[in-house]
Amino acid sequence: MTTAHVTCPLCEATCGLSVTVDDSRVTGVRGDADDVFSHGFICPKGASIGALHHDPDRLRAPLVKRNGEFVEVSWDEAFAEIDARLTPLLAEHGRDAVAVYAGNPGVHNLASALYGRVLYKALGTKNFYTAGSVDQIPKHYSSGYLFGDPFSIPVPDLDRTQHLLVLGANPLVSNGSLMTAPDVRGRLRGIRKRGGKVVVVDPRRTRTAELADEHHAIRPGTDALLLFAMVHVLFAEDRVSLGRLAEHVGGLDELRELAAPFTPEAVAGTTGLAAGEIRRLALELAEADRAAVYGRIGTTTQAFGTVTSWLVDVLNVLTGNLDREGGAMFPLAAAGQANSGGRRRPFAAGRWRTRVRGLPEVFGEAPVATLADEITTPGQGQVRALLTVSGNPCLSAPNAGRITEALQGLDFMVSLDVYLNETTRHADVILPGPTPLERPHYDIALYQLAVRNVANWTPAAMPSDVPQEWETMLRLTGIVTGQGPKADVAGLDEFVAAEVARRAGIDPALAGERTGPERVLDLMLRAGPYELTLADLEAAPHGVDLGPLRPRMPEVLSTASGRIELAPPELTSDVPRLRAELATAPDERLVLIGRRHLSSNNSWMHNVESLVRGSNRCSAHIHPADAKRLGLVDGGTAVVTGKNGKVELPVELTDTIRPGVISIPHGWGHDVEGTRTAVARAHAGVNSNVVADDELLDALSGTAVLNGIPVDVAPA
Ligand SMILES: Nc1nc2c(c(=O)[nH]1)N[C@H]1C(S)=C(S)[C@@H](COP(=O)(O)OP(=O)(O)OC[C@H]3O[C@@H](n4cnc5c(=O)[nH]c(N)nc54)[C@H](O)[C@@H]3O)O[C@H]1N2
Ligand SMILES: Nc1nc2c(c(=O)[nH]1)N[C@H]1C(S)=C(S)[C@@H](COP(=O)(O)OP(=O)(O)OC[C@H]3O[C@@H](n4cnc5c(=O)[nH]c(N)nc54)[C@H](O)[C@@H]3O)O[C@H]1N2
Ligand code: SF4
Ligand SMILES: [Mo]
């Protein structure tokens, strides 16, 4: 029996797990009490990492579709098939004819994080999509223009703040996002224990709201109005206090002028919050010793996603809380910190526009809300083939019915995925990857957003039946660069390491005999700010603590002016649209928002029996007052109709939701033909994104509106 210390890659919290393995069976999973960051915290998903590994439905060999049926083939056959079909397609129709959709688990996967970009760059298509455009891109966009760098995203300094204002996030359930913080419950309790205050703004009284001192049930999609009114109050009551940020800030006068019409009284009706309360929220934020404003999915995937994300940080700046202890701070990771390392070019989005709808690119990607348009609209540059990498757009992207139809019209589709599910069933070839226990891990991406600087290396806990995903990605790189299905993977890997070393200005030989992600990571650690090596991390199985966050201004800035731009035209151009909201009567219909459950992980962990028991249900949360008006009863069935489709699902009456709002979790709808997920099928639920509208976008970033969608609701 062996015990492995594993950093859990299932969400952003990066908890340390102790996994006991007996003759290749996982016999126990516990929180690692000695982990330097998580101190023993674990959630139901982490505890199920063994069940996930042993799931009999999980793919363990490549599948190729022959006459409509998937058959297991050898790896060589699978790559030969891809070469035979993709290479002529590229030759005839060009690079843009092949689209990529890269999903969320790739962010938590060292192989994808380091080698995905090698493959995508080699493919060289403009049709590059990620789950970011149904998630956090508005935050990159606003940071890009505020700070000049889309990766300069401040995180609340949870362990030292005295006042936390949370909007559109439920970290007690999601375990935190754009805020890597194991045991959020403990950390929020800590704020209250030291006499601080937690305030939550959310249309639902969530678990996070229950723990907080105050909850404000805002009308969905109106956070930008609330935040602008708070900015207004700070100016009007002379509470703007930049502190040591003063020398770094520009655009203050423009901002004051822009905020003028947004008085608390003007926004009260639309937001549903009383003017006096809004004023008090602003003044308490200004008066707090050390405060942080934090917003997440409810503030990004909504009609004013970018403006809201911008105003969150504007408040952090105006109250002098940006980049100071206990405020909103910039982490400094041991490897790959994107916003460090000297002068960088200022961020600029919209360098090109998408073919069909003319939507702006954001750091080289197009919004997934327009993927179906690009597949179904004929002409030069039409998408004819698709590569999905750990993504399930048929459940996660808006107007899901249309995407599903579009995938059926492709000439060729390849999926790198561990399940045969709602999306991968449309593929011609599926290439599985190892489980979290079969691969090494280091969270390159999420440590860049951690509330404490830490570094933790996880060697693979057990051998893998399938190739590591970085090898698969390099073989695909070989194919798309015309080297055929048997490219020299070791040679390509040498090239990748040399490139990383060149950019870091160090000697690739420093990594010695290592290859693959180990070599690349070792080089990145050596080039990083703490000058660690992979050997240092190997010697510390519970992680290396690099201390609390430290101020990083002005290194994190890369605007042309070298300052924080509080009112750049690229952000303020959407303010007139927001101002128009003040004069618009709210929609009479119910508005749909999402929610998450502790035991779900977007769309893909519903095949683990222990996670789909009990309260993890795909139901519609509706307020009793709305139910009465609409003739709905608890346990009855509702039909929810949006512009493009409808779903029928059970009703759960609850006064935790604001009247006028209905909530359905995403990631369900597992009862489609041709999948291989028996447990998920037995707990199918419905696909809420059938109702979501692919034309409703955050105007600036093109990110989909997944919260605040007008719908009609009636008894079935
Ligand atoms: N209505 C609504 N829609 C939403 C959201 C919402 O709040 N409401 N949230 C959005 C957000 S924030 C996100 S991030 C997206 C997520 O959207 P996606 O990233 O498209 O979807 P996931 O459900 O994360 O699916 C991940 C896929 O990766 C596969 N997978 C898991 N592990 C691995 C692995 O190790 N290797 C490989 N190759 N594949 C793997 C799974 O089988 C699954 O097919 O959904 C978005 N959609
Ligand atoms: N258990 C679990 N954990 C997860 C995931 C999961 O599926 N399950 N997914 C992971 C992923 S990919 C992500 S991106 C993160 C997301 O992390 P969070 O953003 O913390 O996730 P949610 O729980 O969806 O919280 C969003 C909240 O916004 C509220 N909301 C909706 N509309 C509005 C609005 O207009 N204004 C305001 N103020 N609030 C609104 C919703 O009621 C909800 O409570 O979670 C990650 N962690
Ligand atoms: S909170 Fe996230 S990282 Fe921690 S055990 Fe749960 S899924 Fe894993
Ligand atoms: Mo996400």
Side-chain angles (χ1 to χ4, degrees):
M1 194 156 91
T2 55
T3 298
H5 302 294
V6 172
T7 302
C8 177
L10 296 173
C11 87
E12 300 182 34
T14 71
C15 301
L17 307 179
S18 298
V19 180
T20 47
V21 180
D22 192 354
D23 190 23
S24 75
R25 286 295 308 173
V26 176
T27 53
V29 181
R30 283 174 297 113
D32 176 3
D34 297 321
D35 184 276
V36 295
F37 197 19
S38 61
H39 309 291
F41 180 82
I42 187 171
C43 85
K45 283 184 294 179
S48 75
I49 205 165
L52 188 69
H53 174 82
H54 293 299
D55 182 349
D57 284 339
R58 181 174 59 78
L59 302 180
R60 289 162 171 84
L63 300 180
V64 169
K65 203 180 268 163
R66 300 241 159 91
N67 304 319
E69 296 284 324
F70 278 112
V71 291
E72 280 194 8
V73 297
S74 71
W75 282 87
D76 280 342
E77 280 173 276
F79 285 115
E81 176 85 12
I82 295 169
D83 185 50
R85 297 191 54 188
L86 198 58
T87 302
L89 198 145
L90 279 168
E92 190 179 344
H93 299 289
R95 317 303 283 186
D96 293 342
V98 182
V100 173
Y101 175 80
N104 174 275
V107 177
H108 304 260
N109 181 320
L110 185 62
S112 301
L114 298 179
Y115 291 80
R117 63 183 122 176
V118 176
L119 169 59
Y120 310 143
K121 210 166 168 210
L123 184 57
T125 175
K126 267 189 181 173
N127 278 300
F128 182 71
Y129 305 82
T130 78
S133 55
V134 278
D135 189 349
Q136 83 292 355
I137 282 192
K139 195 70 201 177
H140 291 298
Y141 197 106
S142 71
S143 290
Y145 286 110
L146 262 169
F147 308 124
D149 191 322
F151 295 97
S152 286
I153 294 177
V155 303
D157 186 10
L158 281 191
D159 298 341
R160 292 180 293 186
T161 195
Q162 288 297 98
H163 187 101
L164 181 68
L165 172 58
V166 178
L167 303 107
N170 186 10
L172 255 63
V173 163
S174 67
N175 282 301
S177 181
L178 298 185
M179 175 181 84
T180 297
D183 189 16
V184 172
R185 178 187 294 275
R187 291 175 204 265
L188 295 193
R189 280 199 180 132
I191 296 175
R192 301 194 59 199
K193 262 191 220 143
R194 50 180 189 269
K197 184 165 183 177
V198 179
V199 180
V200 171
V201 175
D202 195 306
R204 301 184 308 115
R205 193 171 69 243
T206 60
R207 284 196 191 192
T208 309
E210 298 274 7
L211 180 149
D213 297 85
E214 262 180 42
H215 168 229
H216 299 272
I218 194 169
R219 189 193 305 274
T222 66
D223 300 76
L225 293 173
L226 164 66
L227 295 173
F228 235 145
M230 291 175 69
V231 170
H232 176 100
V233 171
L234 294 181
F235 280 117
E237 314 236 346
D238 211 8
R239 300 299 174 93
V240 171
S241 160
L242 301 177
R244 49 174 273 282
L245 295 174
E247 58 170 315
H248 299 298
V249 170
L252 204 59
D253 293 336
E254 289 98 312
L255 185 70
R256 179 188 292 122
E257 233 164 83
L258 285 168
F262 297 96
T263 62
E265 286 72 19
V267 308
T270 316
T271 57
L273 307 187
E277 289 287 276
I278 296 173
R279 192 163 276 117
R280 184 176 58 77
L281 284 175
L283 296 179
E284 285 187 6
L285 182 72
E287 274 152 29
D289 215 4
R290 284 163 295 178
V293 186
Y294 164 72
R296 203 49 276 275
I297 276 286
T299 60
T300 55
T301 52
Q302 55 133 298
F304 290 94
T306 299
V307 170
T308 309
S309 300
W310 162 54
L311 292 170
V312 163
D313 287 326
V314 162
L315 281 174
N316 283 321
V317 172
L318 295 184
T319 53
N321 282 303
L322 188 83
D323 197 44
R324 87 161 174 204
E325 284 180 17
M329 301 191 75
F330 299 98
L332 182 60
Q337 183 73 48
N339 66 350
S340 67
R343 273 204 74 77
R344 302 166 309 280
R345 217 177 305 147
F347 171 76
R351 294 163 300 175
W352 48 267
R353 293 190 169 257
T354 61
R355 182 179 65 104
V356 180
R357 278 164 70 185
L359 299 171
E361 63 78 37
V362 182
F363 44 68
E365 46 177 286
V368 66
T370 193
L371 173 58
D373 302 309
E374 296 292 337
I375 297 173
T376 57
T377 310
Q380 184 72 30
Q382 180 180 9
V383 169
R384 292 160 193 274
L386 175 67
L387 169 66
T388 67
V389 180
S390 56
N392 194 0
C394 289
L395 294 193
S396 51
N399 201 350
R402 179 151 177 254
I403 292 208
T404 302
E405 236 178 82
L407 296 195
Q408 287 160 11
L410 289 167
D411 292 345
F412 188 55
M413 177 170 158
V414 179
S415 292
L416 266 63
D417 207 289
V418 292
Y419 284 105
L420 173 45
N421 65 15
E422 300 76 15
T423 293
T424 61
R425 72 189 168 123
H426 300 292
D428 298 285
V429 183
I430 308 177
L431 304 173
T435 71
L437 298 178
E438 296 172 332
R439 62 181 194 235
H441 187 52
Y442 173 90
D443 219 315
I444 280 278
L446 280 329
Y447 288 144
Q448 301 190 27
L449 296 158
V451 301
R452 192 173 175 90
N453 292 318
V454 293
N456 206 332
W457 166 252
T458 299
M462 47 176 79
S464 173
D465 296 338
V466 298
Q468 294 291 322
E469 279 186 281
W470 65 271
E471 297 171 291
T472 300
M473 287 176 157
L474 288 184
R475 283 190 80 170
L476 292 174
T477 303
I479 290 173
V480 302
T481 51
Q483 301 172 57
K486 290 192 173 162
D488 170 16
V489 166
L492 284 168
D493 184 39
E494 286 293 329
F495 177 78
V496 172
E499 197 45 34
V500 169
R502 187 188 62 77
R503 260 189 271 134
I506 61 171
D507 179 1
L510 285 171
E513 300 291 292
R514 296 187 194 274
T515 58
E518 282 90 341
R519 171 165 56 189
V520 174
L521 179 63
D522 186 43
L523 294 170
M524 290 171 79
L525 287 165
R526 286 170 189 273
Y530 306 93
E531 294 175 26
L532 290 164
T533 66
L534 186 51
D536 295 331
L537 302 193
E538 283 168 334
H542 308 287
V544 174
D545 181 19
L546 301 165
L549 304 185
R550 285 188 294 266
R552 287 192 61 205
M553 205 68 91
E555 185 207 7
V556 294
L557 301 179
S558 96
T559 48
S561 64
R563 293 179 307 190
I564 299 168
E565 289 296 352
L566 285 181
E570 294 85 352
L571 297 175
T572 60
S573 62
D574 205 20
V575 174
R577 189 173 66 102
L578 184 66
R579 218 163 35 225
E581 289 288 295
L582 293 175
T584 314
D587 203 302
E588 285 293 292
R589 288 183 291 171
L590 291 193
V591 290
L592 172 66
I593 64 170
R595 67 176 189 270
R596 283 173 162 75
H597 190 282
L598 197 54
S599 295
S600 277
N601 198 4
N602 297 324
S603 75
W604 72 277
M605 287 182 70
H606 293 148
N607 211 50
V608 176
E609 190 75 55
S610 61
L611 296 179
V612 285
R613 279 196 220 120
S615 62
N616 191 11
R617 294 176 55 218
C618 181
S619 62
H621 281 185
I622 296 177
H623 193 274
D626 288 324
K628 199 167 167 208
R629 186 164 49 86
L630 298 165
L632 295 160
V633 294
D634 192 48
T637 304
V639 188
V640 180
T641 310
K643 203 180 88 195
N644 308 296
K646 59 181 176 183
V647 292
E648 267 185 41
L649 78 170
V651 172
E652 255 183 274
L653 297 189
T654 168
D655 68 358
T656 59
I657 194 161
R658 185 191 156 84
V661 183
I662 170 173
S663 163
I664 306 179
H666 75 286
W668 297 85
H670 302 300
D671 54 349
V672 297
E673 288 308 308
T675 58
R676 194 180 294 172
T677 51
V679 177
R681 171 179 291 277
H683 303 265
V686 299
N687 181 353
S688 69
N689 280 320
V690 164
V691 177
D693 183 351
D694 53 354
E695 305 225 340
L696 281 183
L697 305 178
D698 166 39
L700 294 177
S701 73
T703 300
V705 174
L706 304 170
N707 288 293
I709 302 165
V711 289
D712 293 309
V713 184

